[in-house]
Amino acid sequence: MSYENVAADVPLSAMEAYLEFLVSSGVDCCIDETPHDWFSEPATNKTTAVVSTPAPTPTPKVVRRAFKAEEAGHISADAKATAKAILQRQKQTVQQTQGSQSPQIAVLPDANAVTSARDTAFKAHSLEELRQSMLEFEGCNLRLTASNLVFGDGPAHAPIMFVGEAPGKEEDLSGVPFVGRSGQLLNLILKRAGIAREQVYIANVVPWRPPGNRTPTPQETEICRPFIQRQIELVDPKVLIFLGAASASALTGSRDGIRKLRGKWLTYKAGAFERDAMAMYHPAYLLRSPAEKKLVWRDILNVKNKLG
Ligand code: URA
């Protein structure tokens, strides 16, 4: 059955549910069986008649991925030509809509997005100001597929600050970090160590859920880093704990694996700001490897002793 037949027979609500399922499973671009320039379709086309809002244009990142795939021999030169046409069309659309009143998601090159994130983050003088500026920030595409910004949870100036990698499904739906299975295990570890969750502040390097819980790309991490750096400064904890290697590597630059990093005192540095820090196994890893819980137990007691 062709896609057009499906589009004609299936109710819109079912198609929307299916699209939602695809997006939440990590699908972030559409690939046709053969290269197809949708922009050259006449306006009366069947598909455009069914779907009233225009399909989102692929981001430059998607197009660049297409070029890379072509270089690696995964797609044909025809597909590359289509990608080029899409990019050209996208540039024109951005130029045409500049200054218009319609709400547009900014299409920024990654380097500009990082600079813009840095400028925005360091202008915030309180956690609430930072949260507001992150709500308005349009430089990270993850916000397009996420349900909520997952900013942080806990009292400002908590003595311990935990930093995870990125929110999962439950966190995305609630807007609160570490509320799913990993969070429940983290709560249990804290409780056993005599630390109330209310005594700690928790946030993530990337505050928007990547679709399908995929790993954030290096560019996404780079764009979000100024926000978590500013959040750490504003919380100003006595001790920082990186949950998992991704968080430790994003905030210390270390390329070591978590086995090597965990349990040792590290120094977190960002500009003039310095803090004692420790990397621990991520609770999601402990759910898969419960035998490693004893090492986290050792690490959390070590942190507790440091705080006195
Ligand atoms: N894993 C993370 O790294 N962060 C969350 O908020 C939830 C799960």
Side-chain angles (χ1 to χ4, degrees):
M1 197 192 308
S2 80
Y3 175 75
E4 285 189 6
N5 286 339
V6 173
D9 299 344
V10 177
L12 191 55
S13 59
M15 286 175 65
E16 279 173 353
Y18 180 57
L19 278 176
E20 206 178 300
F21 164 76
L22 290 177
V23 170
S24 69
S25 307
V27 175
D28 59 4
C29 74
C30 305
I31 300 174
D32 209 349
E33 277 180 26
T34 51
H36 192 127
D37 183 2
W38 293 102
F39 295 108
S40 64
E41 291 286 308
T44 52
N45 177 282
K46 229 187 207 175
T47 315
T48 42
V50 175
V51 181
S52 55
T53 49
T57 47
T59 61
K61 199 169 80 188
V62 171
V63 177
R64 271 199 302 277
R65 243 190 259 153
F67 284 135
K68 277 204 184 127
E70 194 273 336
E71 275 163 19
H74 295 148
I75 63 169
S76 66
D78 274 359
K80 183 177 169 183
T82 306
K84 223 176 188 173
I86 291 171
L87 184 57
Q88 188 57 33
R89 165 88 185 202
Q90 188 172 359
K91 272 189 194 152
Q92 281 167 4
T93 312
V94 170
Q95 279 160 7
Q96 280 161 12
T97 53
Q98 266 170 2
S100 86
Q101 293 305 305
S102 62
Q104 281 287 320
I105 297 299
V107 182
L108 296 171
D110 291 343
N112 285 0
V114 175
T115 312
S116 156
R118 208 173 288 142
D119 291 350
T120 311
F122 285 88
K123 273 187 201 140
H125 295 294
S126 67
L127 287 169
E128 187 44 32
E129 273 182 33
L130 184 65
R131 196 179 72 84
Q132 279 303 329
S133 57
M134 286 163 75
L135 281 171
E136 286 158 22
F137 183 71
E138 293 180 342
C140 181
N141 282 343
L142 289 176
R143 62 168 277 169
L144 302 180
T145 45
S147 312
N148 280 301
L149 166 76
V150 180
F151 178 68
D153 184 42
H157 310 308
I160 307 175
M161 178 165 177
F162 286 90
V163 184
E165 182 182 17
K169 188 172 178 195
E170 283 83 359
E171 290 78 17
D172 177 57
L173 294 175
S174 63
V176 182
F178 284 95
V179 291
R181 285 185 68 218
S182 294
Q184 283 157 21
L185 179 56
L186 181 63
N187 289 350
L188 203 66
I189 295 168
L190 291 173
K191 196 169 163 200
R192 295 257 165 89
I195 304 169
R197 173 135 176 178
E198 296 71 43
Q199 286 179 274
V200 305
Y201 190 94
I202 307 184
N204 285 297
V205 172
V206 171
W208 293 280
R209 180 195 184 207
N213 290 352
R214 67 162 169 75
T215 303
T217 63
Q219 287 83 356
E220 286 159 357
T221 302
E222 188 76 10
I223 291 168
C224 295
R225 192 182 0 251
F227 291 119
I228 185 66
Q229 286 177 327
R230 186 65 181 147
Q231 204 167 355
I232 293 169
E233 281 187 12
L234 292 169
V235 173
D236 196 18
K238 291 199 169 72
V239 169
L240 198 55
I241 299 180
F242 308 124
L243 290 173
S247 158
S249 136
L251 293 172
T252 66
S254 168
R255 292 282 158 258
D256 288 340
I258 190 70
R259 274 174 206 285
K260 193 158 175 204
L261 275 179
R262 63 142 287 279
K264 288 186 229 154
W265 284 107
L266 311 166
T267 303
Y268 163 78
K269 274 190 202 164
F273 186 93
E274 282 195 22
R275 208 54 26 122
D276 288 328
M278 186 178 284
M280 286 185 192
Y281 284 136
H282 193 289
Y285 171 71
L286 297 178
L287 288 168
R288 297 191 300 272
S289 312
E292 306 281 29
K293 280 185 196 162
K294 57 181 182 301
L295 294 176
V296 169
W297 183 241
R298 203 183 287 169
D299 297 344
I300 200 92
L301 291 184
N302 195 346
V303 169
K304 225 184 144 191
N305 285 340
K306 179 129 193 143
L307 291 174

